[in-house]
C-alpha cells in the first residue's frame, strides 16, 4: 500500500513525481504492482531496491517532489530510527521506489490486455457498432484521444463540436469496454484500445 501527503498528489498525477523513499522493514510493494491511492487513482511500481541515505542524490530529491536533498532528508528523519537527521547514520538503509501514475482506479482489468484474438477484435467491433447505432462517434473519439492524450475533456469535445458533459459520458462507455483510461486531466487509449486500433488499421491496409 502506498500513502502520500496531499502536497504530493498533484505531482504524482501529473508525472512530475516518479520516486519515493520508504523506511519499511520489508518491501510492501512489488515491481509491476498496481496500487490504489485515494484520491490520486492508481500508482504503478516500476522498481524497488534497498539504498543507503548517502546514496540519495539531488536529482532523486527532485523526482520525489522536494526542492533539495536536504529537504528530503529532513522529511525522512521522523520515519527513521533516531528521529533526527543530524543523528541519522548515512549508512541507514531504506527502500527506493520508482513509480508512475497508472490512471484512475476504476479501470477494467481487460484494459491491460494488448494481445487480441480475431474474436476479441470482432467482439469490440460489434459493441462499438451498437454505440454508433444513432450516429458514429466511437472511432473518431478513440483516434482523437490517441493523438491527444491527457488533454482536457472540454478541449477534446470542442474539437469534435460537442458539449463537454455528453462527451464525458461517451468516453466512460469506451472505458467500460476497456478501451480508454481516465486521468485527472484527460484520457489515454488503454493497451487494449491501442491493440484494437492497430488491428483495424492493419486490416484496412490489406
Amino acid at each position: 500500500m502506498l500513502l502520500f501527503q496531499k502536497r504530493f498528489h498533484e505531482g504524482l498525477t501529473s508525472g512530475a513525481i516518479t520516486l519515493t523513499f520508504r523506511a519499511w522493514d520489508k518491501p510492501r510493494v512489488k515491481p509491476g504492482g498496481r496500487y490504489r491511492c485515494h484520491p490520486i487513482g492508481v500508482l504503478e511500481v516500476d522498481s524497488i531496491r534497498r539504498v543507503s541515505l548517502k546514496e540519495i542524490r539531488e536529482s532523486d530529491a527532485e523526482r520525489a517532489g522536494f526542492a533539495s536533498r536536504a529537504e528530503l532528508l529532513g522529511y525522512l528523519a521522523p520515519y527513521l530510527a533516531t528521529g533526527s537527521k543530524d543523528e541519522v547514520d548515512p549508512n541507514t538503509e531504506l527502500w527506493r521506489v520508482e513509480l508512475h501514475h497508472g490512471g484512475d482506479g476504476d479501470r477494467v482489468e481487460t484494459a491491460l490486455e494488448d494481445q487480441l484474438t480475431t474474436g476479441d477484435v470482432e467482439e469490440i467491433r460489434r459493441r462499438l457498432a451498437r454505440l454508433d447505432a444513432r450516429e458514429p462517434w466511437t472511432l473518431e473519439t478513440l483516434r482523437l484521444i490517441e493523438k491527444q492524450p491527457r488533454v482536457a475533456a472540454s478541449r477534446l469535445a470542442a474539437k469534435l463540436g460537442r458539449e463537454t458533459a455528453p462527451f464525458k459520458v461517451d468516453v466512460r462507455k469506451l472505458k467500460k469496454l476497456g478501451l480508454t483510461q481516465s486521468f485527472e486531466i484527460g484520457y489515454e487509449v488503454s493497451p487494449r484500445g491501442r491493440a484494437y486500433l492497430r488491428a483495424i488499421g492493419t486490416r484496412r491496409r490489406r
Side-chain angles (χ1 to χ4, degrees), residues 1 7-8 26 60 69 89 101 139 184 186 199:
M1 185 174 184
R7 60 186 273 200
F8 300 111
K26 59 183 178 180
D60 293 329
R69 180 177 183 275
D89 185 335
H101 190 245
L139 187 57
E184 183 172 347

Side-chain angles (χ1 to χ4, degrees), residues 12-205:
L12 287 163
T13 303
S14 70
I17 295 178
T18 57
L19 184 64
T20 187
F21 292 90
R22 301 292 163 131
W24 295 328
D25 55 347
K26 59 183 178 180
R28 299 180 186 177
V29 296
K30 60 182 180 180
R34 288 170 48 81
Y35 302 90
R36 186 184 297 273
C37 184
H38 181 77
I40 299 169
V42 169
L43 295 175
E44 297 187 17
V45 173
D46 300 313
S47 68
I48 177 172
R49 64 185 175 89
R50 198 78 165 155
V51 298
S52 63
L53 285 176
K54 65 183 179 183
E55 293 179 74
I56 298 177
R57 300 166 298 189
E58 289 289 341
S59 58
D60 293 329
E62 182 178 349
R63 288 182 58 193
F66 295 88
S68 66
R69 180 177 183 275
E71 183 184 352
L72 169 59
L73 295 183
Y75 174 82
L76 291 172
Y79 300 97
L80 302 174
T82 60
S84 170
K85 70 176 182 179
D86 294 326
E87 301 173 8
V88 174
D89 185 335
N91 292 308
T92 299
E93 293 189 333
L94 64 168
W95 295 98
R96 182 182 192 275
V97 183
E98 295 197 49
L99 44 75
H100 68 274
H101 190 245
D104 55 24
D106 61 348
R107 185 173 63 187
V108 298
E109 289 302 316
T110 56
L112 301 177
E113 299 174 1
D114 60 359
Q115 300 296 320
L116 302 180
T117 66
T118 300
D120 292 331
V121 173
E122 289 306 315
E123 176 61 20
I124 294 172
R125 188 194 299 274
R126 284 194 295 271
R127 298 182 72 174
L128 292 181
R130 287 198 291 270
L131 295 177
D132 286 332
R134 290 188 176 181
E135 183 179 354
W137 61 270
T138 59
L139 187 57
E140 183 180 33
T141 301
L142 282 170
R143 293 292 190 192
L144 179 60
I145 294 172
E146 181 183 40
K147 292 178 181 178
Q148 299 192 42
R150 303 205 191 195
V151 171
S154 58
R155 292 176 57 189
L156 294 177
K159 288 182 177 294
L160 297 175
R162 301 192 58 189
E163 295 294 327
T164 302
F167 173 79
K168 287 183 174 182
V169 170
D170 280 344
V171 175
R172 283 198 291 271
K173 295 175 183 177
L174 296 176
K175 184 165 67 175
K176 288 181 179 179
L177 297 181
L179 302 178
T180 64
Q181 57 185 5
S182 302
F183 292 83
E184 183 172 347
I185 296 178
Y187 315 94
E188 283 187 1
V189 175
S190 69
R192 182 179 181 83
R194 292 196 297 271
Y196 175 72
L197 292 176
R198 285 196 303 271
I200 64 174
T202 299
R203 291 186 180 188
R204 285 181 177 180
R205 289 193 293 271

